[in-house]
Amino acid sequence: MIEVNNKIQEIYEVIVKSGLDEDQSLLGGSCGVSMFLFYYARFVDDQKPYDIAFETMSSTLEKINPISDLHTFASGLAGIGYSIENLSRNDFIDVDTKDILGPIDELLFERMKIDLNNGNYDFLHGALGIGLYFISRNAFEKRDEYLGYIVDELYILGEKDSNGIKWRSILDNNTEKYGYNISLSHGMSSIIAFLSKIIKEEINKTKATFLLEGAVNYLLNQKLPANEYLSIFPSWALESTETIAPSRMAWCYGDLGISVSLWHASQALNRKDWKEEAIHTILHSAKRQDLSYNFVVDAGLCHGTAGMALIFMRMYQYTGIEELKDTSDYWYQQTLKMATFDDGLAGYKAYRAKISGGWANEIGLLEGIAGIGLALISAVSDIEPAWDECLLLS
């Protein structure tokens, strides 16, 4: 515990000294960094980091330009707006979100319609991320209308067959390959998590229920042959001509994110069979503790050890299964061991393929030390990690 606390403090000190670049986004920039700072302030019960957090968030809001800025959840207005609502709802800030966010509501709806018209439902970079923003906007008078619109469009876009309902999207921008992504970050698992929230909100419930049942049925039909591969699911639905390959251990792709989406679906419709599928998938993942075989090379939330530890912790909280708590502790220890770079940030670097520049210092939430710090706070405190809704974990 002392080692974790020291690393959290080190991350805070590095962030304060580093300064921030011009990126104001939630998952890569200053907005996500401020999320860590607010949680750190509550963790240490100190006004100074709170003041820094508030100043960082205020600076972010002053710099955004609704006309020219990106609209996406990962990199733009939807994510920034969502973070304001999340922090307000969880008593980190006391602000009038209607006054702050009102000017971007209509703009985001129009851009969401364009994304849906183009078949871009992607959670991080398309319509579903804007959908999560609107879910957070409880007091917005057109909220239910806009969310109902997304459900209607998902119904139109969904392809219905004997296996269920599937949504086509691009799998590789370089080769322009299209297919059926089933991941939590970009694929159908995010649709499942989103529809589960919609059903709980009782918005367009009949159609959303039909879509959720079809989406889960399709997802379960994508299982790899039992006991032949490291993972239960691939990264995307495989064409008959493709070589079968297991998926990695990560939030972004693979069994971990899928297990969480199945859990959410089971809770939304009270489906014991889906609950059992979610538990089976996460328990299978708990046995996958070899870093190299499971493509684990860094500590970030997106595809690293901190994200894995957080998911196992969340699933332990949901299920009460002690093995998941032990597995979470294992991956938190691996997260501490990842801090090996003398020229890193608090010892951490984010992995990049050589073609993309190689290892890099990242300060943000999704791949950088702000996200690692948030995950570590969750390991050693009773503070509800409500921020992880931005990863569809809650």
Side-chain angles (χ1 to χ4, degrees), residues 142-154:
K142 293 184 179 180
R143 168 183 177 263
D144 291 5
E145 174 190 341
Y146 287 179
L147 291 171
Y149 178 89
I150 300 176
V151 175
D152 288 338
E153 290 300 303
L154 287 175

Side-chain angles (χ1 to χ4, degrees), residues 162-323:
S162 59
N163 289 327
I165 303 175
K166 57 188 178 182
W167 287 265
R168 190 169 182 263
S169 62
I170 193 162
L171 301 179
D172 189 326
N173 286 305
N174 294 324
T175 62
E176 296 187 350
K177 176 184 178 181
Y178 279 80
Y180 303 95
N181 192 322
I182 63 173
S183 74
L184 186 59
S185 56
H186 306 292
M188 280 179 273
S189 289
S190 64
I191 292 180
I192 289 170
F194 175 78
L195 290 170
S196 299
K197 288 180 175 292
I198 289 292
I199 290 168
K200 288 185 175 181
E201 296 287 338
E202 298 193 346
I203 298 169
N204 209 346
K205 189 173 181 179
T206 299
K207 190 173 287 185
T209 298
F210 173 79
L211 292 176
L212 182 60
E213 290 174 339
V216 172
N217 288 340
Y218 182 83
L219 175 65
L220 294 177
N221 272 293
Q222 304 315 307
K223 286 184 177 181
L224 298 172
N227 303 317
E228 294 185 24
Y229 298 89
L230 287 171
S231 64
I232 292 177
F233 292 92
S235 294
W236 48 75
L238 301 173
E239 303 294 338
S240 59
T241 57
E242 290 183 303
T243 300
I244 295 177
S247 54
R248 68 188 304 167
M249 281 273 285
W251 167 79
C252 52
Y253 279 88
D255 290 355
L256 293 181
I258 289 171
S259 71
V260 173
S261 70
L262 288 171
W263 179 267
H264 291 327
S266 75
Q267 301 306 293
L269 293 182
N270 194 26
R271 288 287 296 264
K272 183 179 178 181
D273 54 338
W274 294 353
K275 177 180 176 180
E276 291 172 351
E277 292 283 359
I279 292 173
H280 171 68
T281 302
I282 196 69
L283 286 176
H284 177 85
S285 298
K287 296 175 173 60
R288 297 173 62 184
Q289 296 190 358
D290 185 285
L291 274 68
S292 60
Y293 283 167
N294 294 299
F295 317 109
V296 182
V297 295
D298 69 7
L301 292 179
C302 183
H303 45 256
T305 55
M308 294 159 58
L310 182 66
I311 290 174
F312 281 110
M313 185 198 74
R314 268 301 189 190
M315 290 298 284
Y316 164 69
Q317 293 172 342
Y318 294 150
T319 66
I321 298 173
E322 286 294 330
E323 183 179 347

Side-chain angles (χ1 to χ4, degrees), residues 378-393:
S378 301
V380 293
S381 79
D382 294 327
I383 301 171
E384 169 65 18
W387 61 270
D388 72 1
E389 187 187 33
C390 76
L391 301 177
L392 298 175
L393 299 184

Side-chain angles (χ1 to χ4, degrees), residues 70-178:
L70 287 171
H71 64 283
T72 66
F73 190 81
S75 305
L77 295 173
I80 294 171
Y82 167 83
S83 69
I84 298 297
E85 285 285 7
N86 186 285
L87 289 167
S88 175
R89 186 169 69 244
N90 291 287
D91 299 321
F92 286 95
I93 56 176
D94 182 13
V95 296
D96 184 349
T97 59
K98 181 178 181 180
D99 182 58
I100 295 172
L101 301 177
I104 69 172
D105 285 324
E106 296 296 330
L107 181 149
L108 284 175
F109 179 61
E110 292 303 318
R111 295 192 181 182
M112 184 188 75
K113 288 198 294 185
I114 293 172
D115 281 340
L116 287 168
N117 187 58
N118 292 330
N120 177 17
Y121 66 82
D122 190 293
F123 169 60
L124 294 183
H125 308 299
L128 284 189
I130 300 176
L132 184 59
Y133 164 77
F134 282 122
I135 287 176
S136 74
R137 296 279 285 130
N138 289 326
F140 178 46
E141 62 274 10
K142 293 184 179 180
R143 168 183 177 263
D144 291 5
E145 174 190 341
Y146 287 179
L147 291 171
Y149 178 89
I150 300 176
V151 175
D152 288 338
E153 290 300 303
L154 287 175
Y155 181 87
I156 294 170
L157 290 170
E159 301 174 26
K160 294 84 172 175
D161 62 26
S162 59
N163 289 327
I165 303 175
K166 57 188 178 182
W167 287 265
R168 190 169 182 263
S169 62
I170 193 162
L171 301 179
D172 189 326
N173 286 305
N174 294 324
T175 62
E176 296 187 350
K177 176 184 178 181
Y178 279 80

